[in-house]
Amino acid sequence: MGALSVKHLLGIKELSLADIELIFSTADTFKEVLNRPIKKVPSLRDVTIANLFFENSTRTRLSFELAERRLSADVINFAASSSSVSKGETLIDTVNNILAMKVDIVVMRHPHAGAAQFLSRHVEASIVNAGDGAHEHPTQALLDAFSIREKLGEVKGKKIAIVGDILHSRVALSNIFCLKKLGAEVMVCGPTTLMPRYIESLGVKVEHNLKNALEWCDVANMLRIQLERQDIKYFPSLREYIQLFGLNKQILDSLSKRITIMHPGPINRGVEITSEVADSDQSIILNQVENGVAIRMAVLYLLAGHVK
Amino acid sequence: MKILIKEVTLINTGTNESGAVRDVLIDNGIINKIAQAGTLSDPSATTIDGKKKFLSPGWFDMHVNFRDPGEEIKEDLMSGCAAAMQGGFTGVLCMPSTTPPIHSKAEVEFVLNKTKNELVEVHVAGTLSHEQKGKDLSEMYDMASAGAIAFTDDKHAVQDAGLLTRALLYSKNFGGKILSFADDNSLSSKGQMNEGITSTHLGLKGIPSLAESVMISRDLQLAEYTGSPIHFSTISTKESVELIRNAKKKGLAVTADVCALHLSQDDSALENFDTLLKIKPPLRSREDITALHSGILDGTISAISSDHSPEDTENKEKEFDLAAFGASGLETTFSLTYSSLINKLKIEKIVDLISNSPRRILGLKEITIKEGENANLTLFDTEQEWIVDGSTLKSKSKNNPFTGKKLKGKAIAVINKNKFFLCS
């Protein structure tokens, strides 16, 4: 088995195509392990992993923790409220604490873009970015692409529409980087006020009509509307957002083809997508969750190669 | 004190000796004698070899923050003056963004009194609004009487058009100069860097060029309406250059300066979240840099400043969103300015942008180099290469983005008020 070209997983930006393919093939193996009666492997015995969550997270944290335990790593968890982060000293202090505790891998989620890079400049440990502000969320993008590959055979040449709040979304950004590297065509769709002005520089198509975007794509990744990230109102009301960008069964059935529906979770049922759509056989939302564990096992396993 | 500078090339003398190689004797703070190279000698004088070096009027930086009173841990008036001398500057204009702000006679007098014995001539800009809050006029006349020469709310850009109109009108009575830092908060709100390709890559909130140009557009109309002169501090966008260029053509009394950093660095330098380059206005695009250069060439922009903004490590070494805006600049401004402009502009013009031109903008007396005049001089070397070493920088704060980098061009010594400082 090969090795990653990077010591940290800070973002998809830094990964090569070979890195992504290596992560996928490793995840294939782990996915098979996860379906065995005994799901635990001893690969990361004696490796200590710290999960630092400076921002609320349930599913990503659980997914990482499960991946770590399946690999037999020693796990410590640290959660801090965003309010203490904004006081400023926390990250530097955390850095020093990590140094003292001799942690091998740090998984960190942080409300500010660039926090993972900041940490990687100051500590010896390998850093896994579990989401930093509106910058990157690489494991999410990897599991999304992995799920598309599983469902459609390959990612190359496929058309993926990312729908919702593109401006505040690290999932969108990482997905764009990852899908483009894998040779997919990417379209972003959402309200004009939530579209970064220079988004086309990333080589994506821009569409503001949901129906058009869905008609174009093979897969629609419906992002969560993150009202908590919006300091000002970018659209007048959720009602209006739903009218323009909410995906319901009626629209889905009106399309000329069957498309695949994804969502990074947690779903605002009845906002981005209705329950009917989320639970339909076109949705691979729960496969994404399952693949998340396999992808995170693969990433941790491969980074541990740099630790040893 | 006697100083003899031998075989130095004079520039911007204000006489027909510009460009000549001369021996210059300074005695008791006065230029005593300017003679043919190699003809003067005085054993009682400190003698400096001026070969292949230039002697110009003392440099002037019209946009510095010395953080005193209030944040002396970042910089104080003495360390600020030391940084100015090290950078080759014999005069500065201090911005009023201190704690408390320089918003009344008391703070103006404090700064002027505390620095009166310094080599560096320290000038003060008072706030335009009371407590720098952007609501009511400050006591501008009282501050002007105490010695303030300009008025601005600095980076707390005036959002209220009515207030700026009143300030432009009111300052006419006594000739106070209004400086405007153009930034529409509702457009730049919480932005961290220039809105562009790099901000999109990094997921950082962008500050659109529009936030600056919208305000410049507004302010130009206010200046026209009031018939008052206005100066724009540290402009950064191509739209701003265009607006000011057109206003000048129309005959408005408008001037502008640019921060040296904006002439050489574009926003792609932030690709690794380098907080040392997090400044306000933000580093813009290559296109903006080109426009700023052309603005300098055609005189739309008539001064270059350092926007010296010392920040301690605690405020810089942190998450990008939380890090303070600002870079320490006095000690590297000349190198940056010289390197970015020398292929387009004569050295005389470059030096004017950091010496007599800002003095003209502010209505200060221009410095000339001739016998009998006060010696207010900067001796510098355009060829010397040096590495910016944090430990030898004179500023208290170490947030100079060029630390560890090699630069070309350096001040050698400054002379003013019968004082002499040899730059290290």
Side-chain angles (χ1 to χ4, degrees), chain B residues 369-386:
Chain B
I369 305 180
K370 62 180 178 197
E371 289 176 4
E373 286 288 322
N374 286 331
N376 182 341
L377 305 164
T378 299
L379 177 69
F380 63 102
D381 184 343
T382 55
E383 295 305 308
Q384 188 180 329
E385 293 192 330
W386 59 293

Side-chain angles (χ1 to χ4, degrees), chain B residues 62-84:
Chain B
M62 69 181 297
H63 204 108
V64 304
N65 293 284
F66 281 175
R67 308 293 189 214
D68 189 357
E71 292 184 291
E72 296 85 351
I73 200 152
K74 298 177 180 175
E75 195 83 288
D76 60 33
L77 290 162
M78 303 304 121
S79 67
C81 284

